[in-house]
Amino acid sequence: MEPEARLEALLSLPALSGPVVSRDGRHVAWSWSRLAPTADVYAAPVDGSGEPVRLTETDENAYPVSWTPDGSGLIVEQDTGGDERSVLYLVRLERPGELVPLTDERPRFFIQGGELHPNGRWLVYAANLDPESGKEEEVYRVFRQDVKTGERLVLATPRRSGYLEPRLSPRGDRVLYHRSDLDPAGRQVWLAGVEGNGDREVLNFGPEAKVEASWLPDGRRVVFTAEAEGRRRLGTFDAEEGRVRWLIDDPRRNVEYAFAPPGGPLVAAEMREGRLSAVLVDPESGKESQPPRTTGSFVPIVRVREGEWAGLLYSSTQPADLVLASPSGTRSLTGLWERTRLRPEDLVPAEDFRWRSVDGLEVQGWLYRARGEAVGTVVLVHGGPTSVSEDRFNAQVQFFTANGFNVLCPNYRGSTGFGLEFQEKIKEDGWGGREQEDIRRGIEALIEAGIAEPYRVGITGTSYGGYSAWCAITRYPPEIVAAAAPVCGMTDLVVDYYSTRPDLRPYSEEMMGGSPEEIPERYRERSPINHVKNIRGRLLIVQGERDPNVTPENVRAVVKELERHGIPYELLTFADEGHGISRPKNLRVLYPRLARFFRETFAQGPGLG
């Protein structure tokens, strides 16, 4: 297949995200991007009895948030050009395309979550909105809004900003949400009465311990994971009796998250050496069982029949899809492979690749080998940093390999998927510490193995991956990193701290060990903007102009510094993108530009710099 044809095939392959099951367990909704100019919401029966129905078709990306209690409709969110100032809409299964606005159509604030009360009139969400002045503020509150009158009632007001995403109980009497009032590194679980009464803390395992919780279908218990004492534990909490019951409390196990599907056992998603393996847990007895076996990672989301589950299936050669899995095999609920000319054998599989970092820590990554003779290597760094690169289809990776590049996706310290101890190691140094050395040593290991060559390695990534690309090009010589293409990456950690969304500032404080006022020297030293004079390789800066996370202020600041030092650079911006580049028309520009940028750099060889 010719390069242009392969690019079109990759960018027409539907990218599935955010599957949500209706409360009655009959339908699943998800967002598909790349079938149209923007992402749209689809829904289908979980038993495979019907074809997917397209529920939205607009000029902006749409994502499912939650089902209505009766399962007849969905709350969906849309922003404008990726600015993340979402509007919540209601769309009914029987009326596809009819979006009824539930919140302000031109919001001056950010919304988190959104669930409709069983009475059909109240909408519960969080927003950084001052209810008296109507202005945006630092702290997010939990609101109950009357969708007919627009009247808002404040249900809870945390002391400091943080990500809340309130969840209404199935009974509709209480709202579960999270606070980080005690320490930026911790999260506690609170319950607030839907009538505006009884706001109280219910789960707290220490100021720096994180707890993540969601409701069980009975409406009185929650399932939660608690990070403390170097491990994650899985348990349930009875909100009426105030009783905790531990289901998994084993330091050898790594439960990343858990949830309660309608009408079935709990699903605990474990990560083992970067691969996902789900287990089913009975909330009453604690007895564990296995979901149907599949080829690839499988997250069961709802039990359809005895021994048969609908769930999310993926691998590097299996794009994320919703399937029915049983002992006899899997069947797509979406008809994914019918929508593309590509086949699994057209995709490059991931190889497990490992090395030792500067302090002896073992680091893992996924290696994808170029088709044909390699012209060079691209390191694609995941964002977060609290995230993970998996054995999972990635159109950008597949495009690079088709164009003659080896690709390494490293899971540096701070990544999830390798246990809490490994994840927390990034805090020992703070951002820009030894996790960047993990990436450098991965490049050197590729060179030592004869997979990569000096002067023929480039680096890119989005968000924290973009920050890592900035760190690499400002720290390492061109024989290690010859070119960098940071996408929406932080350049000045102080500028980023004050210009980002308010709920993200506690994350910076957690990772860095304090605010810029408390530890100014660390923020200064770890900001790539203060080291641009060291750049000897080539630089391509990519930015979404509506990004509220890593804002364009990062680019404006670093461009001034680059020009002050006479450092050449290229700049590629997208007016209709936010935190990351996602629209197919823009990816058709970005991917070939990156390939050309790296190929031209590698052709210079030792003459670079």
Side-chain angles (χ1 to χ4, degrees):
M1 191 181 296
E2 293 298 318
E4 288 188 6
R6 182 171 290 275
L7 175 61
E8 285 304 308
L10 288 170
L11 293 184
S12 64
L13 187 60
L16 186 148
S17 63
V20 183
V21 177
S22 60
R23 195 171 294 177
D24 60 12
R26 297 176 58 190
H27 288 86
V28 59
W30 67 93
S31 183
W32 252 345
S33 61
R34 302 181 185 171
L35 285 180
T38 55
D40 283 303
V41 176
Y42 290 74
V46 299
D47 62 1
S49 61
E51 296 295 318
V53 175
R54 184 176 181 174
L55 296 177
T56 67
E57 188 173 358
T58 70
D59 294 333
E60 299 293 348
N61 291 323
Y63 302 98
V65 178
S66 65
W67 285 87
T68 59
D70 63 2
S72 67
L74 273 169
I75 307 296
V76 302
E77 64 177 358
Q78 285 189 317
D79 62 8
T80 301
D83 67 0
E84 298 182 20
R85 296 184 182 273
S86 297
V87 180
L88 299 183
Y89 296 90
L90 174 64
V91 58
R92 299 286 183 184
L93 287 179
E94 60 186 23
R95 296 176 184 172
E98 294 185 21
L99 297 181
V100 179
L102 301 177
T103 58
D104 296 15
E105 293 194 69
R106 296 184 181 275
R108 301 185 301 276
F109 50 87
F110 296 102
I111 283 179
Q112 298 170 353
E115 292 189 322
L116 198 63
H117 191 272
N119 65 17
R121 183 161 180 169
W122 293 342
L123 180 70
V124 174
Y125 58 85
N128 63 327
L129 173 68
D130 184 329
E132 296 184 1
S133 67
K135 296 181 179 180
E136 185 176 22
E137 62 176 0
E138 185 82 7
V139 172
Y140 287 70
R141 304 169 191 256
V142 179
F143 289 96
R144 189 197 79 192
Q145 178 180 317
D146 190 306
V147 297
K148 293 183 179 179
T149 67
E151 180 183 2
R152 296 185 180 96
L153 174 67
V154 176
L155 301 183
T157 304
R159 290 196 296 272
R160 63 185 299 163
S161 187
Y163 194 76
L164 304 186
E165 193 177 1
R167 294 166 178 170
L168 190 62
S169 71
R171 300 177 182 179
D173 58 340
R174 287 171 289 194
V175 178
L176 179 153
Y177 71 101
H178 300 81
R179 289 196 188 194
S180 298
D181 286 346
L182 306 179
D183 188 279
R187 279 167 70 83
Q188 296 79 44
V189 177
W190 287 62
L191 289 179
V194 77
E195 297 287 350
N197 60 327
D199 186 26
R200 62 191 176 98
E201 181 184 79
V202 294
L203 289 172
N204 180 350
F205 295 95
E208 299 182 18
K210 287 187 178 69
V211 189
E212 300 290 340
S214 59
W215 289 103
L216 268 72
D218 61 20
R220 62 176 286 170
R221 292 179 298 170
V222 301
V223 56
F224 70 92
T225 56
E227 295 182 359
E229 300 174 1
R231 68 183 189 275
R232 289 188 185 90
R233 296 184 285 176
L234 173 67
T236 60
F237 171 74
D238 191 310
E240 295 181 6
E241 297 181 1
R243 178 170 52 88
V244 169
R245 178 176 184 183
W246 295 109
L247 300 174
I248 297 179
D249 187 8
D250 185 341
R252 296 168 298 178
R253 300 181 65 175
N254 180 34
V255 178
E256 291 284 344
Y257 61 90
F259 59 94
L266 306 178
V267 175
E270 294 188 73
M271 293 288 285
R272 299 170 184 168
E273 299 301 310
R275 292 185 185 273
L276 185 140
S277 176
V279 64
L280 309 175
V281 185
D282 187 296
E284 311 300 336
S285 65
K287 183 179 179 180
E288 299 182 23
S289 58
Q290 298 295 320
R293 290 182 176 274
T294 61
T295 300
S297 295
F298 177 65
V299 183
I301 57 175
V302 63
R303 184 167 58 187
V304 178
R305 303 175 189 88
E306 189 63 34
E308 186 176 36
W309 283 77
L312 182 68
L313 178 68
Y314 61 88
S315 73
S316 53
T317 57
Q318 165 63 63
D321 194 18
L322 291 166
V323 303
L324 269 179
S326 67
S328 60
T330 62
R331 176 165 64 94
S332 175
L333 294 173
T334 71
L336 172 75
W337 288 110
E338 299 168 12
R339 300 172 184 268
T340 177
R341 292 179 295 162
L342 294 172
R343 302 267 73 85
E345 56 269 23
D346 296 323
L347 304 176
V348 173
E351 300 177 27
D352 190 292
F353 185 77
R354 295 175 186 252
W355 62 93
R356 293 284 176 180
S357 191
V358 289
D359 57 358
L361 181 70
E362 184 179 71
V363 183
Q364 185 269 354
W366 299 106
L367 174 64
Y368 300 81
R369 295 182 186 265
R371 289 184 176 274
E373 185 178 354
V375 298
T377 299
V378 175
V379 179
L380 179 60
V381 186
H382 71 72
T386 313
S387 182
V388 65
S389 287
E390 295 185 74
D391 177 357
R392 188 166 187 156
F393 171 79
N394 182 307
Q396 186 174 16
V397 167
Q398 297 295 332
F399 176 77
F400 280 146
T401 59
N403 279 270
F405 300 100
N406 294 319
V407 180
L408 177 68
C409 300
N411 282 312
Y412 49 87
R413 71 189 70 199
S415 301
T416 58
F418 297 85
L420 186 58
E421 182 180 358
F422 185 87
Q423 179 181 319
E424 296 284 279
K425 278 188 174 296
I426 193 171
K427 298 181 187 178
E428 295 174 2
D429 299 340
W431 286 345
R434 276 172 290 177
E435 88 283 2
Q436 301 303 324
E437 292 297 288
D438 296 344
I439 297 169
R440 178 181 65 84
R441 280 295 301 131
I443 295 171
E444 292 174 341
L446 287 175
I447 293 174
E448 292 164 6
I451 298 170
E453 298 179 54
Y455 297 98
R456 287 182 171 82
V457 177
I459 187 169
T460 187
T462 299
S463 191
Y464 200 81
Y467 170 73
S468 296
W470 275 110
C471 286
I473 200 66
T474 55
R475 296 182 185 187
Y476 307 135
E479 55 264 36
I480 299 297
V481 174
V487 183
C488 301
M490 305 99 79
T491 65
D492 187 323
L493 296 180
V494 177
V495 167
D496 183 71
Y497 180 88
Y498 289 113
S499 64
T500 192
R501 281 190 351 233
D503 59 296
L504 295 176
R505 290 184 194 121
Y507 186 56
S508 296
E509 294 173 20
E510 176 190 359
M511 293 289 114
M512 292 293 286
S515 69
E517 289 89 353
E518 294 167 328
I519 47 172
E521 183 57 28
R522 174 173 282 191
Y523 274 80
R524 189 204 66 78
E525 197 274 329
R526 302 297 173 79
S527 294
I529 193 172
N530 297 316
H531 307 284
V532 296
K533 63 180 181 296
N534 299 328
I535 295 176
R536 292 170 57 200
R538 290 186 65 194
L539 174 64
L540 168 62
I541 307 168
V542 183
Q543 180 70 37
E545 293 184 8
R546 291 180 176 268
D547 190 348
N549 185 324
V550 178
T551 67
E553 287 298 320
N554 283 268
V555 173
R556 286 190 278 270
V558 81
V559 162
K560 291 180 182 178
E561 198 65 12
L562 288 167
E563 292 177 348
R564 187 170 75 87
H565 287 280
I567 305 296
Y569 65 92
E570 299 174 43
L571 178 62
L572 178 62
T573 63
F574 296 93
D576 54 354
E577 296 281 12
H579 193 54
I581 314 304
S582 66
R583 297 180 185 236
K585 71 180 181 68
N586 295 331
L587 294 176
R588 290 185 178 94
V589 174
L590 176 63
Y591 287 179
R593 177 73 175 273
L594 290 173
R596 185 171 65 252
F597 172 72
F598 289 127
R599 185 182 293 271
E600 290 174 353
T601 303
F602 300 161
Q604 298 179 39
L608 183 70

